[in-house]
Amino acid sequence: MVKGIAKQQKKESTIVQIKTEYLFLIIGLIFGLQFVFTNPPWQTNDEDRHFIHSYFLSQGYILPKQGQDKIGGVVPVNIYEIPARFQGIRFSETVKISKAKLEEAEKIPLNENNKQFFHNQHYNINPVGFIPSAFGIFIGQTINDNPVWLNWWGRIGDLIFYLVIIFFAIKIIPIFKNVIFLYALTPMSIYQGSSVTYDAVNISLTFLIFAVIIKFALDEKSFIGWKEFLLIMLLIIIHR
């Protein structure tokens, strides 16, 4: 009986002693995926335009094209028209997206051969913030290239980046691990981290820069040489 109690205590201790960064990954993945699929498509602020920019990048279009005094690129018509169907809803408490409308949109094919030039002012923004969502779209389109699903793939790409970067932020920082853990799991943070937006990159890199600086400031075994200095500068430049 004594051995049984000791074994149970050891088991409970093991559960309690899960490292904070791994616990964050587990909880963040569960609730992040919930946000990915529960939040209706293109309902995060400007997600429709961020999605189109991410799609550009996923197809290898790094530099924009000029056309008729506009900036943008050529995309399938449905990449623009389907997100347009869902606009004007997110800021209204009385108008909701019906399940039938969403299911109808999920059946519309990409129709890649039907293309048009799309003006996208976000091409004035550094494309680095869209790389995770573009990568998610690039991988996911081999499974399902329906525009609704492409948006979900983009969200998953951003979510994975968000979780991994904050995982290392929690792992690196010598103090305040629980503070980052709790703040990064707040509903708005997870909401942004699981959306097609450069905010997912922005928020997660903010945590990482904070963690790196605190580590060098408080950890006696850490010191800033040229490599460390360049690392901090690189993170700040990417963040900018």
Side-chain angles (χ1 to χ4, degrees):
M1 182 176 179
V2 174
K3 290 182 178 180
I5 294 175
K7 186 176 181 180
Q8 180 65 25
Q9 289 177 340
K10 183 177 181 181
K11 183 178 180 181
E12 292 175 353
S13 177
T14 303
I15 295 174
V16 172
Q17 291 179 6
I18 295 177
K19 290 185 176 180
T20 308
E21 58 266 30
Y22 289 101
L23 188 60
F24 169 79
L25 274 184
I26 296 171
I27 297 176
L29 185 61
I30 293 172
F31 287 97
L33 289 175
Q34 189 80 0
F35 270 106
V36 165
F37 294 105
T38 301
N39 180 28
W42 303 292
Q43 295 308 293
T44 306
N45 192 35
D46 291 332
E47 189 178 35
D48 55 328
R49 285 171 288 179
H50 293 169
F51 165 70
I52 295 173
H53 194 165
S54 298
Y55 181 83
F56 279 142
L57 293 177
S58 73
Q59 304 307 301
Y61 299 120
I62 305 301
L63 297 177
K65 296 181 179 180
Q66 297 287 340
Q68 300 177 348
D69 297 325
K70 295 182 178 181
I71 186 172
V74 177
V75 297
V77 173
N78 284 339
I79 287 293
Y80 167 75
E81 289 191 349
I82 293 181
R85 297 183 180 187
F86 293 85
Q87 300 312 300
I89 296 176
R90 60 178 173 267
F91 299 121
S92 174
E93 296 180 357
T94 58
V95 181
K96 303 297 180 183
I97 296 175
S98 68
K99 184 177 180 181
K101 184 177 180 180
L102 179 58
E103 290 177 347
E104 178 186 348
E106 288 182 57
K107 296 177 182 178
I108 300 175
L110 178 63
N111 195 7
E112 191 174 0
N113 294 325
N114 184 18
K115 296 182 178 181
Q116 70 177 27
F117 182 88
F118 176 74
H119 171 64
N120 182 13
Q121 65 269 30
H122 278 107
Y123 255 128
N124 296 321
I125 300 175
N126 190 321
V128 170
F130 299 99
I131 290 176
S133 54
F135 186 74
I137 292 172
F138 177 77
I139 298 298
Q141 66 185 348
T142 60
I143 303 173
N144 190 334
D145 64 358
N146 165 266
V148 174
W149 272 94
L150 288 179
N151 188 65
W152 283 334
W153 296 128
R155 287 179 174 183
I156 292 173
D158 270 341
L159 176 63
I160 292 173
F161 182 90
Y162 177 84
L163 295 177
V164 169
I165 295 299
I166 295 181
F167 169 87
F168 284 107
I170 296 173
K171 185 179 181 68
I172 289 170
I173 197 168
I175 59 173
F176 300 140
K177 290 181 183 289
N178 291 336
V179 173
I180 295 181
F181 172 86
L182 292 173
Y183 192 87
L185 287 176
T186 55
M188 182 54 71
S189 296
I190 288 290
Y191 175 77
Q192 291 296 104
S194 58
S195 303
V196 178
T197 170
Y198 51 75
D199 288 336
V201 177
N202 188 8
I203 294 171
S204 56
L205 286 179
T206 299
F207 283 118
L208 184 60
I209 293 170
F210 176 75
V212 170
I213 292 175
I214 292 296
K215 176 178 174 61
F216 285 128
L218 300 182
D219 191 344
E220 295 180 355
K221 296 180 181 179
S222 299
F223 65 93
I224 298 182
W226 279 109
K227 291 181 180 180
E228 291 74 18
F229 176 76
L230 291 176
L231 170 63
I232 295 174
M233 289 299 101
L234 178 61
L235 288 174
I236 291 174
I237 291 171
I238 294 174
H239 180 272
R240 176 64 185 88

